[in-house]
Amino acid sequence: MPKTAMVKIDPKDYKKDDLIKVNTVIMHPMDTGLVKDKESGKYIAANHITDVEVYYGDERITTMKLSGSVSANPFISFYVKATKTAPLKIIWKDNKGDVTEKVIDINVG
């Protein structure tokens, strides 16, 4: 099931070649599979983000590999060089096959 994801950039309009700071957070448990449920005593199944892909327009500009050792609700921050008006798409994939996608527009004037 897709998770809630938030992406923030400031300001909203850019000049060509400006650096854009992109802040992202996704609500995800990031379970390692090594922790027991307090009530049942059974291990909680592994459930963590494995891949993050970032596209600017049609071009994939970066990928990230994550593991269960990353904290719950991971916050990721990175920079993008504003070269064109285009959507910025971030895709999170987890080890259970769930995919969450968030798209924001980058306006270069």
Side-chain angles (χ1 to χ4, degrees), residues 58 82 86:
D58 293 332

Side-chain angles (χ1 to χ4, degrees), residues 14 25 31 33 76 85-86 105 109:
Y14 298 91
V25 66
D31 293 317
I76 300 172
T85 294
D105 292 321

Side-chain angles (χ1 to χ4, degrees), residues 52-63 89 93:
V52 180
E53 296 178 341
V54 180
Y55 293 83
Y56 184 24
D58 293 332
E59 180 185 1
R60 185 173 63 192
I61 58 172
T62 193
T63 60
K89 178 169 63 172
K93 299 175 183 177

Side-chain angles (χ1 to χ4, degrees), residues 58-75:
D58 293 332
E59 180 185 1
R60 185 173 63 192
I61 58 172
T62 193
T63 60
M64 296 167 237
K65 295 285 189 185
L66 304 181
S67 69
S69 64
V70 174
S71 69
N73 308 323
F75 174 85

Side-chain angles (χ1 to χ4, degrees), residues 86-104:
L88 182 73
K89 178 169 63 172
I90 304 166
I91 303 168
W92 296 263
K93 299 175 183 177
D94 71 19
N95 67 313
K96 292 191 171 207
D98 289 338
V99 176
T100 301
E101 185 176 302
K102 188 77 172 184
V103 179
I104 59 170

Side-chain angles (χ1 to χ4, degrees), residues 30-61:
M30 300 299 287
D31 293 317
T32 63
L34 302 174
V35 176
K36 289 184 179 181
D37 181 275
K38 291 179 182 177
E39 291 180 17
S40 70
K42 295 180 181 180
Y43 285 101
I44 298 170
N47 181 7
H48 57 270
I49 295 170
T50 56
D51 298 281
V52 180
E53 296 178 341
V54 180
Y55 293 83
Y56 184 24
D58 293 332
E59 180 185 1
R60 185 173 63 192
I61 58 172

